[in-house]
């Protein structure tokens, strides 16, 4: 798409051309007019879709230069590396402008940062925690703010920095709010709802070309760890279907905990590969598991485990999504004629990693409905701020990220495609 479609100033188009940008990204085309028009906006797009350049251009179009000491734009990012990248993008696209921009990321003394801010600034790029600390020291004046931007919002939520974001947003008063994220889920919505009223949400799904054929993929979106255990126990109850299963977790400690939490009808039915303690049920080699008839479920930790031979295993469960997507991809790429079902569980916090995997394989992973008889564990805060566990059935809601009702187009009756097991779908058999 031509840069002209963005309706930018000639100066900005020239700056983009000089920087090597030859066309506009889809997210930029969809949102630029709304950003320039001052609307509140939630922009959802995968990594590398051009979100940062998007709001940098919007800021440079909207920013009215003056001699005010107080900043007109506050941009919150999850870490120093991101802050430096945003500042670099501004400097790249604002040549020949006297742009005053300061980064607050907590590596220097606060007194120096306060003094720099008092000299006058147009744009502040900051970590939420650092910006809040400087604000409480009366060093960050938000009274003139025109744009409040949260970048990589899903990472900010993952790091637990929602409170400083909300406090800063409320302190800023009336201004334009822009949130950029790769995914939307319940915890993110809870943060956004604190300071945005009826924002427009625009989403772009940019998937790369499909690079390789994969096993049959399925995804269950669940709220927490305990519900994952409940779901795995519920599914694996059917030992005729799930006659041999490998379950992947991230650490050996989790493998140990999961091994004790899984229900088993027979001795040696559940085991761990390279168990944490010598007296636990387990195997040193996956071939021993394959050759043991009574062994049905093998739990494997990603840490310290090199490539293992998964041939002959019809079901692979990713109880946790590996942070290194290559670990996941190495298991789900089809290498022969074997039919394998790769089933993943993901919480809200893991959806970011799921999106990266989908970008790599060039296809969306089908989302399955949660079984109706699944017990969902939800942490609820009582009046005394103590955390208690509330168990609810999955009747309402049944699934989806943050448990929104599914669109009809997303409702799937997924075929396993594994010989006689092709007759069985999770939705019909367990849903």
């Amino acid at each position: 798409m031509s840069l002209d479609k963005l309706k930018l100033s000639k100066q900005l188009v020239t700056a983009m051309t000089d920087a090597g940008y030859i066309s506009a990204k889809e997210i930029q085309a969809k949102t630029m007019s709304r950003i320039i028009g001052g609307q509140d906006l939630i922009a959802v797009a995968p990594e590398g879709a051009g979100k940062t350049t998007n709001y940098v251009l919007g800021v440079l179009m909207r920013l009215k230069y003056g001699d005010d000491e107080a900043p007109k734009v506050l941009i919150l990012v999850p870490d120093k590396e991101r802050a430096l990248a945003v500042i670099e993008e501004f400097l790249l696209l604002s040549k020949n402008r006297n742009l005053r921009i300061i980064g607050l990321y907590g590596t220097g003394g606060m007194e120096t940062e306060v003094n720099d801010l008092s000299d006058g600034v147009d744009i502040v790029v900051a970590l939420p925690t650092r910006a809040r600390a400087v604000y409480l020291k009366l060093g960050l004046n938000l009274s003139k703010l025109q744009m409040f931007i949260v970048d990589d919002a899903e990472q900010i939520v993952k790091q637990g920095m929602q409170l400083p974001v909300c406090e800063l947003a409320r302190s800023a008063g009336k201004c334009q709010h822009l949130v950029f994220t790769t995914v939307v889920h319940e915890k993110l919505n809870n943060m956004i709802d604190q300071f945005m009223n009826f924002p427009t949400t625009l989403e772009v799904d940019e998937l790369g070309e499909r690079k390789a054929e994969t096993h049959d993929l399925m995804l269950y979106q669940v709220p927490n760890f305990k519900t994952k255990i409940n779901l795995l126990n519920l599914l694996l109850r059917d030992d005729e279907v799930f006659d041999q299963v490998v379950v992947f977790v991230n650490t050996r400690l989790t493998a140990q905990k999961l091994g004790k939490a899984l229900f088993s009808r027979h001795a040696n039915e559940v085991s761990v590969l390279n168990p944490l303690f010598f007296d636990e049920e387990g195997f040193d080699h996956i071939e021993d598991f394959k050759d043991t008839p009574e062994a049905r479920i093998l739990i494997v930790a990603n840490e310290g485990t090199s490539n293992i031979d998964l041939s002959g295993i019809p079901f692979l469960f990713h109880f946790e999504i590996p942070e290194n997507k290559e670990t996941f991809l190495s298991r789900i790429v089809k290498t022969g004629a074997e039919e394998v079902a790769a089933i993943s569980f993901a919480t809200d916090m893991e959806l970011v990693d799921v999106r990266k995997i989908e970008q790599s394989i060039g296809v969306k992973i089908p989302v399955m409905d949660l079984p109706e008889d699944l017990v969902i564990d939800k942490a609820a805060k009582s009046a005394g701020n103590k955390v208690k566990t509330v168990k609810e059935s999955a009747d309402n809601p049944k699934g989806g990220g943050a448990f929104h009702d599914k669109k009809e187009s997303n409702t799937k009756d997924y075929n396993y495609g594994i010989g006689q097991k092709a007759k069985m779908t999770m939705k019909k058999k367990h849903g």
Side-chain angles (χ1 to χ4, degrees):
M1 185 177 297
S2 171
L3 292 175
D4 295 335
K5 297 289 185 180
L6 300 182
K7 298 182 179 179
L8 303 172
S9 66
K10 291 182 179 180
Q11 188 178 14
L12 270 181
V13 172
T14 300
M16 288 193 72
T17 303
D18 292 344
Y21 295 105
I22 58 176
S23 61
K25 297 276 192 176
E26 185 179 354
I27 190 67
Q28 296 161 2
K30 276 191 171 185
T31 63
M32 189 58 66
S33 62
R34 296 176 184 271
I35 294 174
I36 296 173
Q39 293 185 26
D40 280 11
L41 181 70
I42 301 171
V44 187
E47 193 176 78
K51 297 189 294 295
T52 302
T53 303
N54 191 19
Y55 70 73
V56 167
L57 293 170
V59 167
L60 293 176
M61 282 292 293
R62 286 205 63 200
L63 193 61
K64 305 299 181 186
Y65 295 93
D67 296 325
D68 293 330
E69 291 183 0
K72 301 176 183 65
V73 181
L74 175 62
I75 302 168
L76 300 178
V77 295
D79 52 48
K80 177 184 176 181
E81 182 181 2
R82 193 81 193 98
L84 294 174
V86 170
I87 292 172
E88 183 180 355
E89 188 75 1
F90 269 108
L91 297 177
L92 181 67
L93 298 177
S94 62
K95 292 178 179 178
N96 303 321
R97 293 192 186 192
N98 186 23
L99 186 68
R100 301 173 300 170
I101 184 167
I102 290 176
L104 304 178
Y105 31 77
T107 55
M110 190 176 296
E111 185 177 346
T112 301
E113 293 174 337
V114 171
N115 290 336
D116 290 342
L117 288 167
S118 66
D119 291 337
V121 60
D122 298 308
I123 301 168
V124 173
V125 183
L127 276 65
T129 47
R130 190 62 170 186
R132 177 178 179 268
V134 176
Y135 174 78
L136 293 176
K137 289 287 185 179
L138 304 180
L140 180 60
N141 184 351
L142 302 178
S143 64
K144 302 289 186 180
L145 212 63
Q146 299 172 14
M147 301 177 75
F148 183 95
I149 302 171
V150 184
D151 193 12
D152 283 347
E154 78 288 347
Q155 294 295 339
I156 286 175
V157 171
K158 189 173 184 178
Q159 295 178 33
M161 295 190 285
Q162 300 98 307
L163 180 60
V165 172
C166 294
E167 288 184 351
L168 289 165
R170 288 193 291 265
S171 300
K174 188 175 180 181
C175 63
Q176 181 184 20
H177 298 92
L178 303 175
V179 173
F180 293 84
T181 182
T182 59
V183 295
V184 175
H185 50 62
E186 185 176 22
K187 288 185 178 180
L188 179 62
N189 283 328
N190 289 341
M191 180 184 77
I192 292 171
D193 289 345
Q194 299 295 312
F195 58 88
M196 295 181 78
N197 295 317
F198 308 109
T200 300
T201 300
L202 294 174
E203 185 168 359
V204 168
D205 232 348
E206 290 188 358
L207 295 172
E209 293 183 10
R210 187 152 191 176
K211 298 178 177 62
E213 287 299 314
T214 65
H215 297 312
D216 291 336
L217 303 177
M218 284 156 277
L219 176 67
Y220 284 96
Q221 295 179 4
V222 292
N224 50 44
F225 186 88
K226 288 185 178 180
T227 305
K228 284 186 178 184
I229 294 176
N230 295 343
L231 178 59
L232 190 59
N233 268 318
L234 185 60
L235 297 181
L236 295 183
R237 183 188 301 169
D238 191 338
D239 53 8
E240 291 185 6
V241 171
F242 297 103
D243 54 355
Q244 199 167 43
V245 171
V246 169
V247 181
F248 292 102
V249 296
N250 284 335
T251 68
R252 294 176 69 196
L253 180 59
T254 303
Q256 179 204 25
K257 291 180 178 179
L258 185 59
K260 294 179 179 179
L262 288 183
F263 172 78
S264 59
R265 293 187 179 90
H266 315 291
N268 304 321
E269 188 175 21
V270 178
S271 55
V272 176
L273 185 67
N274 300 318
L276 196 59
F277 301 112
F278 71 91
D279 57 344
E280 293 180 337
E281 293 293 339
F283 297 98
D284 293 330
H285 305 286
I286 193 170
E287 296 303 327
D288 296 333
F289 165 72
K290 295 178 183 179
D291 295 337
T292 306
E294 63 269 23
R296 185 168 71 94
I297 302 163
L298 180 67
I299 304 170
V300 179
N302 294 322
E303 68 173 5
T305 302
S306 57
N307 291 335
I308 58 176
D309 181 12
L310 296 171
S311 60
I313 306 294
F315 290 96
L316 306 177
F317 280 85
H318 281 94
F319 185 83
E320 296 177 304
I321 305 297
E323 291 187 3
N324 181 359
K325 67 180 179 181
E326 300 303 327
T327 301
F328 186 96
L329 296 174
S330 67
R331 297 169 185 153
I332 57 96
V333 173
K334 203 169 186 179
T335 56
E338 272 188 320
E339 295 289 348
V340 177
I343 304 166
S344 301
F345 297 171
T347 62
D348 285 351
M349 297 298 99
E350 293 172 302
L351 288 180
V352 177
D353 298 314
V354 172
R355 295 296 174 262
K356 291 178 181 178
I357 290 167
E358 290 174 336
Q359 278 186 280
S360 295
I361 62 177
V363 66
K364 299 285 285 185
I365 300 176
V367 178
M368 310 301 291
D369 288 335
L370 294 177
E372 291 182 358
D373 51 347
L374 172 66
V375 175
I376 296 175
D377 286 71
K378 290 188 176 180
K381 288 189 177 181
S382 64
N385 288 329
K386 294 180 180 179
V387 177
K388 62 181 180 179
T389 299
V390 180
K391 294 186 177 181
E392 300 179 359
S393 71
D395 292 342
N396 183 26
K398 297 180 183 178
F403 304 100
H404 299 302
D405 289 336
K406 286 179 177 292
K407 296 179 181 178
E408 186 176 347
S409 60
N410 289 337
T411 304
K412 300 184 184 299
D413 186 11
Y414 198 86
N415 193 309
Y416 275 75
I418 304 177
Q420 292 183 347
K421 294 174 184 141
K423 300 176 183 178
M424 183 272 292
T425 66
M426 285 301 177
K427 184 176 172 185
K428 289 184 177 178
K429 193 170 181 70
H430 298 291

